[in-house]
Amino acid sequence: MGYSKMPDNNQIITDHVQREEQRLARIEDKIDKLSDAMIDLARAEEKLINIEKANSQHFERMNRFSMRMDDIDDVVQEQGKTVKVMQYIITLTATIFAGLVVKVFFDA
């Protein structure tokens, strides 16, 4: 009959140490991956913060442009009224002048 040889203690300890070293290596790899992921998240968060700042600046700039356009619109409205009055006066003056010319040349 064959008898099975039992592994000696040194072999058992060596196998155990080897398994634990492999386990620790896997844990270290996972920790490294987590560290890389956290760094990537921090970078992404920083980019989002910068995008939000840029959006805020653009929003403020658009508000300033809108206020300027409102001011320009008010000025244009006022100038439009002035132009209408000037048009009326010029038309009235031209009509009177044309009437005088007709009266002078045809009533003579």
Side-chain angles (χ1 to χ4, degrees):
M1 284 206 194
Y3 92 95
S4 65
K5 184 178 175 189
M6 290 191 45
D8 62 2
N9 283 339
N10 286 338
Q11 184 62 37
I12 292 172
I13 291 174
T14 303
D15 290 346
H16 180 72
V17 167
Q18 213 172 23
R19 282 192 310 271
E20 289 300 313
E21 285 177 353
Q22 290 172 350
R23 182 174 171 252
L24 286 174
R26 287 192 309 269
I27 291 172
E28 286 176 353
D29 288 342
K30 289 178 183 178
I31 289 173
D32 288 343
K33 287 179 183 178
L34 282 172
S35 176
D36 291 342
M38 289 186 71
I39 290 170
D40 290 342
L41 282 173
R43 287 182 183 148
E45 183 179 11
E46 188 173 330
K47 286 180 184 178
L48 287 173
I49 289 170
N50 289 335
I51 289 171
E52 182 63 32
K53 285 180 184 177
N55 277 348
S56 178
Q57 289 172 347
H58 292 308
F59 184 73
E60 289 174 16
R61 188 171 181 192
M62 292 300 290
N63 278 340
R64 285 194 309 269
F65 283 140
S66 178
M67 289 188 300
R68 286 177 65 187
M69 285 181 64
D70 289 343
D71 292 342
I72 290 170
D73 185 50
D74 292 342
V75 169
V76 168
Q77 293 292 332
E78 287 298 316
Q79 287 180 352
K81 291 176 185 175
T82 303
V83 167
K84 283 183 181 181
V85 169
M86 289 173 62
Q87 256 182 332
Y88 177 74
I89 291 172
I90 290 172
T91 303
L92 186 61
T93 305
T95 304
I96 292 172
F97 181 73
L100 286 174
V101 168
V102 167
K103 182 169 170 103
V104 169
F105 286 115
F106 292 110
D107 275 347

